[in-house]
Amino acid sequence: MILLLLKLLAAHFIGDFVLQPKKWVVHKEKHKVKSKYLYAHIGVHVMLLLLFLGFKHTWTVVFIGVTHFLIDWGKLAFSTPKNSRLLFLIDQLAHLLILILAYYIIEPFSISWSNYFDVQFYLLLLFIVLATFVSAILIKMFLTPYINLLNLDEGKTDQSTEGEPLPNAGLYIGVLERLFVFGFIIANQWAAIGLLIAAKSVFRFGDLNKGNNRKLTEYVLIGTLLSFGLAILCGLGYTYLIVQLS
């Protein structure tokens, strides 16, 4: 059963991300439904589906092709520079839902949600939240006195070598690095955590040393150690509780 779903997904992602040149995307965004590449794109999807399915389930392939066209047309019709990323996510989600529906049409299945939302699921969800957003708040609260010190000295420090940070970049970097550390601990890949620390040190602390700002360097070092430490604690706590539950 799962082989059919894998074929549908493979055809979709190859058609959308591998066999769709940038020129096609630009032309579609400019000419919308009048773009010849929109129809070529749908043709690529249909051919991939026919090949992967062995030229069987023809009407299901037609259904996927028509809905793919309608979804892409809707995205092109309502896309603006401000909502393009959101519409991309909605577009891909809609395509995946159609593929699951097509899979159900060919091979009906039932889902027992109780098997997915069990104790292990909520335990994992809890520790992911703890390792990401809860840890971010704790780190921010701990570093608040140091942030104030840096602000007080802001007028005295030479910031000519410092660039403007991206909005919320620090938050996203921290969340991602703690997710990586948490995942590495679950997979028992401690060496990967060392590589992650080394990579961050090369990119971050090299720039800080060039800026010759000792207080900022120490502030970042404290924040990094807190971030990795909390992620490690969450990973160890999760693995311990999983073992106890099993």
Side-chain angles (χ1 to χ4, degrees), residues 190-201:
W190 288 87
I193 299 176
L195 292 175
L196 185 62
I197 295 174
K200 183 173 182 179
S201 299

Side-chain angles (χ1 to χ4, degrees), residues 4 38 56-57 84 95 126 146 156-157 163 181 186 205 211 223:
L4 173 61
L38 172 60
K56 299 177 181 178
H57 312 295
S84 59
H95 288 316
L126 170 63
Y146 301 105
K156 300 179 183 180
T157 57
V181 172
I186 294 176
F205 297 118

